[in-house]
Amino acid sequence: MSLVPVAKVRVLIAARRPVAADGLAVALGQTGDLVVRGRCCEAGKLATALGAGNAIDAVVIDAETFDGDAARAVDAVRALSPDVAVLLLITRVDEPLLEAVTREHVSCVSAYGEALDIVSALRALLSGRTNLPPEVQYALMQKLRRPATALPPRLTEREEQVLELAATGLTVSQIATALHISASTAKTHLLRVYEKLEAPNRSAAVAIALGRGLLRGSAAAA
């Protein structure tokens, strides 16, 4: 009787510290069911790592790769690979983290934990369970108990870049060239900015963004 080979889960490791990434890669490689398909240590190299021709099932990403902003880290991964599971390695509990862990197929574990703890958290996430550290659970409960307040929608990093360039007066085509994206993609990002800021046009979007501190004053004045 022939045995059907068990498909391995393909993992990308994104961690700022190469030593930590190396240790985690060894631990994952010893599991038998998880295989590391790529590693990167800088936010700017994430797109290359995810788009290197290797299909990825899960990303283990150190939030410090995005200066501790867990929500930005998840946004960056999902913009490149919408369906991938994301395990965040965290060093702090803050609002961006609480926002990030409410998203589908996202979990977190302490970046200071043992490699086996990280492997266990990843396996739990892949099996559909979200096991959050006690301090994160507590912070979520405290947030739920607070009176609900309407928070303005967050712009993604790419949307912020598009708006920054739009504020200088560049056309959609020029924005696309500057960011190395297509004109249609640049236009889509700009329209999403209008929608999130509830702005009817570019001038209104820039004014609202300046009022909320989302733009540098020098960018709009250029």
Side-chain angles (χ1 to χ4, degrees), residues 33-206:
D33 59 332
L34 304 171
V35 57
V36 177
R37 280 292 179 85
R39 282 183 280 177
C40 68
C41 298
E42 299 175 21
K45 295 182 179 179
L46 184 62
T48 301
L50 275 173
N54 294 325
I56 300 297
D57 302 304
V59 175
V60 179
I61 183 167
D62 188 342
E64 292 304 318
T65 307
F66 285 83
D67 299 320
D69 192 326
R72 275 185 58 209
V74 174
D75 283 342
V77 173
R78 289 285 164 78
L80 298 164
S81 188
D83 299 322
V84 74
V86 181
L87 178 64
L88 291 160
L89 305 181
I90 62 169
T91 58
R92 71 189 78 173
V93 179
D94 53 16
E95 284 296 325
L97 172 64
L98 299 183
E99 177 186 339
V101 296
T102 61
R103 301 178 189 176
E104 196 170 3
H105 305 310
V106 175
S107 188
C108 67
V109 66
S110 172
Y112 303 123
E114 298 290 335
L116 291 179
D117 295 331
I118 297 174
V119 171
S120 178
L122 178 58
R123 281 197 171 124
L125 175 62
L126 292 169
S127 66
R129 294 179 288 116
T130 303
N131 293 339
L132 301 176
E135 61 271 22
V136 178
Q137 295 181 38
Y138 176 78
L140 283 171
M141 288 302 300
Q142 292 298 104
K143 182 177 181 180
L144 289 172
R145 289 170 179 160
R146 292 198 299 264
T149 55
L151 297 176
R154 286 174 56 92
L155 298 181
T156 65
E157 182 178 11
R158 180 64 85 189
E159 288 166 354
E160 290 176 356
Q161 292 171 342
V162 168
L163 184 57
E164 288 277 1
L165 293 174
T168 67
L170 295 184
T171 65
V172 170
S173 295
Q174 290 170 329
I175 292 171
T177 299
L179 296 178
H180 305 290
I181 57 178
S182 68
S184 62
T185 298
K187 183 177 180 180
T188 297
H189 285 308
L190 197 55
L191 290 175
R192 286 177 180 167
V193 169
Y194 294 168
E195 181 181 354
K196 288 183 177 182
L197 298 182
E198 298 182 348
N201 52 45
R202 180 185 299 207
S203 298
V206 170

